[in-house]
Amino acid sequence: MADVRAMCAIGRRGQLGLTGRMPWEGEQAPEYAADVRRFWEMTRGHVLLVGPVTYRSIPAFAHQERTIVEIRSSMQPEEVIARFPDRIVFVGGGPAVWAAYAPLIRIWDITRLPYDGPADRWFDPAWLCGTGG
């Protein structure tokens, strides 16, 4: 059985995204750079499930160091996870992906960043309880 996890960064008020990107994308402060490095380190060698927008944003080097799978809303989360028995599977992406996979996620690894600006996507605490919110 796969070990299903989610790893994400949120702003001070739970901000996740803004116009299809992370609101702090491109920020050079040390805490932001450390978060990106940690993400790539923690997911190395594992499976990363992501939606289409996130998939298109993944740099080429990342595909060589992990199994990256583009998922769609038409796919059944249980069936996707079942393809990777005995692997660590990270569920990445955004609200729609986490809402669909929340019941299967065993570990949530959340980094709170000092960002406190605008957003149009937010972290839903209901995901932590395994519900789609």
Side-chain angles (χ1 to χ4, degrees):
M1 178 174 199
D3 178 0
V4 185
R5 305 174 182 197
M7 188 172 195
C8 67
I10 61 174
R12 288 187 175 155
R13 294 177 288 119
Q15 302 98 315
L16 276 175
L18 180 63
T19 63
R21 305 176 77 136
M22 292 180 290
W24 49 83
E25 197 163 316
E27 178 64 52
Q28 298 299 313
E31 55 269 58
Y32 296 97
D35 179 63
V36 172
R37 275 193 312 275
R38 183 173 178 275
F39 177 83
W40 294 123
E41 288 170 11
M42 295 292 293
T43 61
R44 183 179 295 123
H46 302 300
V47 177
L48 180 57
L49 305 178
V50 295
V53 173
T54 302
Y55 186 85
R56 289 192 299 273
S57 72
I58 296 175
F61 81 85
H63 291 267
Q64 299 169 5
E65 301 174 329
R66 57 199 51 74
T67 303
I68 302 175
V69 179
E70 181 179 356
I71 54 176
R72 302 286 181 157
S73 60
S74 61
M75 301 166 104
Q76 294 299 315
E78 295 83 0
E79 293 174 10
V80 174
I81 297 295
R83 293 172 33 197
F84 305 100
D86 303 318
R87 298 275 313 267
I88 295 175
V89 176
F90 285 91
V91 179
V97 173
W98 288 317
Y101 283 78
L104 303 172
I105 295 171
R106 189 177 66 81
I107 295 172
W108 285 89
D109 185 328
I110 304 167
T111 301
R112 178 147 321 195
L113 295 172
Y115 178 81
D116 203 23
D120 57 15
R121 300 286 184 268
W122 302 85
F123 186 84
D124 185 345
W127 299 331
L128 300 174
C129 301
T131 61

